[in-house]
Amino acid sequence: MAQRGVKAWASLALVVAAGCTAPPAKPPRLAPPPAPFIAPPPPAPPAQAAPLKPTDACGAIDLQYLIGRPRSEIPIPLQPSRRRVVCSTCPVTQDYVPYRQTIIYDAGSGLVSSVKCG
């Protein structure tokens, strides 16, 4: 009977020992895989701006339409001191005044040959 009691106690000890063991370890939590790399779209090209109109100090660009027309079509200036109208063979001073319009017409035909600042 003693032997049976020892076996019973041994069996009981095994059952108790089995119940006291640590639960199986959970597998470590893995980080989610990285998202695939998606390149950003290329930047949109800049909008085409309207070309800027060239400017000058005296406004001669606005009178370029006069070239090839008779001098009688030259409009009366708002500020006469800022414009001179001379013939192609007439003597003129060589001073350069950037805000002054110089309209040159051909002495023979009377047609405007150039419009410039100076």
Side-chain angles (χ1 to χ4, degrees), residues 97-118:
V97 181
Y99 60 85
R100 179 176 60 196
Q101 297 171 344
T102 300
I103 302 173
I104 302 173
Y105 65 92
D106 185 270
S109 65
L111 299 177
V112 175
S113 58
S114 73
V115 179
K116 58 186 180 179
C117 295

Side-chain angles (χ1 to χ4, degrees), residues 53-71 73-80 82-85 99-104 111-118:
K53 182 178 175 183
T55 59
D56 55 10
C58 69
I61 290 177
D62 296 334
L63 297 177
Q64 294 299 312
Y65 73 93
L66 291 172
I67 296 176
R69 295 189 177 186
R71 69 178 183 164
E73 292 187 23
I74 298 172
I76 297 171
L78 296 175
Q79 296 179 331
R82 293 186 157 200
R83 181 183 293 170
R84 66 179 173 176
V85 179
Y99 60 85
R100 179 176 60 196
Q101 297 171 344
T102 300
I103 302 173
I104 302 173
L111 299 177
V112 175
S113 58
S114 73
V115 179
K116 58 186 180 179
C117 295

Side-chain angles (χ1 to χ4, degrees), residues 80-102:
S81 65
R82 293 186 157 200
R83 181 183 293 170
R84 66 179 173 176
V85 179
V86 294
C87 69
S88 57
T89 58
C90 299
V92 293
T93 60
Q94 295 299 312
D95 62 330
Y96 181 79
V97 181
Y99 60 85
R100 179 176 60 196
Q101 297 171 344
T102 300

